Amino acid sequence: MDQYFFDMLYSGYTGEYQLMSSLYRNGLDALRPPADMGIDVVSLNLKQQLREPGTIPETFFFQVKTAVTSVSEDPDRPGAIATVEFKLKDTEVDLLAHSRERALFCYVYNVEAGSLTDAFETPFLCFWLDGTLIKKINDAGAFFRKDGEPKLTLACQLRKPTHEYGHWYALVVDGQGANVEDGYLGVVGGSGYPADDGADHYSVAGFLEYARQGR
């Protein structure tokens, strides 16, 4: 049996169920479609519809990707950087790049568990890109194909500034490692450095707030 295949399979399940748990935490129902149509998780506002007849149905569609990397800091040298990559089919990118109701959720797990947080079982970082943002960064060259690979690559850098009170942030880069237009996602848990679109890209609640604004 291919150990890599099974590792990737279970890593993918980890992210999908992490997202479903967060959706329940935000009062939505979540399910995994039985057919692979490019959508891993669907959410519904079932509770609100049952409790308040006449509530408008609300549905969101998610593709989920996970990555495992080494993230560590030297206490004597603040600042850190790690690059993670996510693989998507051309059809998945096209499927997502339609509206705010569709989003790619990326979960990053840290093999250096305990160095910054107990992130072996808990995501070190989670961030999302909705369909409108995916279209923008796709037009800007964010998705690229490596030689010999059938899928597209989305590369993101996780960075922490060198100053003592710097916050982690995620940034989409192209195949040469250059910043992609509209690819700055703001800082984690900080203020004063919002994402290019002004959204909170590090929580399900942030996605829901942003997606509902577009309705």
Side-chain angles (χ1 to χ4, degrees):
M1 294 184 179
D2 188 336
Q3 184 62 42
Y4 175 76
F5 168 78
F6 283 104
D7 287 345
M8 292 296 292
L9 184 66
Y10 277 78
S11 177
Y13 288 157
T14 301
E16 290 171 14
Y17 283 102
Q18 182 73 50
L19 173 58
M20 293 175 70
S21 175
S22 296
L23 287 167
Y24 281 116
R25 179 67 175 164
N26 281 274
L28 298 177
D29 282 87
L31 57 90
R32 297 175 68 242
D36 184 0
M37 297 178 288
I39 295 298
D40 297 317
V41 177
V42 176
S43 72
L44 308 166
N45 61 337
L46 181 60
K47 180 182 70 174
Q48 289 87 342
Q49 292 184 59
L50 294 175
R51 180 180 294 173
E52 302 175 21
T55 297
I56 298 175
E58 180 181 68
T59 307
F60 296 109
F61 305 92
F62 305 97
Q63 170 70 230
V64 183
K65 297 296 180 183
T66 62
V68 180
T69 189
S70 297
V71 185
S72 60
E73 276 188 284
D74 184 338
D76 297 323
R77 294 184 59 190
I81 184 171
T83 300
V84 291
E85 295 182 347
F86 306 94
K87 307 295 182 180
L88 295 93
K89 300 175 183 177
D90 296 73
T91 54
E92 291 175 336
V93 176
D94 293 339
L95 183 67
L96 292 171
H98 282 278
S99 68
R100 292 189 180 192
E101 285 78 17
R102 306 181 186 189
L104 171 67
F105 263 76
C106 299
Y107 287 90
V108 180
Y109 294 85
N110 183 15
V111 297
E112 299 285 339
S115 59
L116 294 172
T117 181
D118 185 13
F120 180 77
E121 296 177 354
T122 303
F124 169 73
L125 197 65
C126 165
F127 54 90
W128 57 265
L129 301 91
D130 76 293
T132 58
L133 179 55
I134 287 174
K135 185 179 187 310
K136 287 180 181 178
I137 63 172
N138 189 30
D139 293 342
F143 296 90
F144 57 92
R145 198 184 314 277
K146 293 185 175 181
D147 291 341
E149 293 190 358
K151 292 186 178 183
L152 297 170
T153 296
L154 174 67
C156 301
Q157 289 185 351
L158 313 180
R159 301 179 181 177
K160 186 177 182 183
T162 56
H163 54 86
E164 183 179 358
Y165 300 105
H167 292 268
W168 282 92
Y169 64 94
L171 182 73
V172 179
V173 296
D174 62 19
Q176 289 71 49
N179 298 357
V180 171
E181 184 179 0
D182 295 310
Y184 171 63
L185 303 183
V187 299
V188 180
S191 59
Y193 299 94
D196 289 334
D197 57 12
D200 168 17
H201 283 270
Y202 302 103
S203 70
V204 168
F207 165 74
L208 295 174
E209 178 182 3
Y210 181 76
R212 287 162 177 163
Q213 287 175 356
R215 294 185 164 182

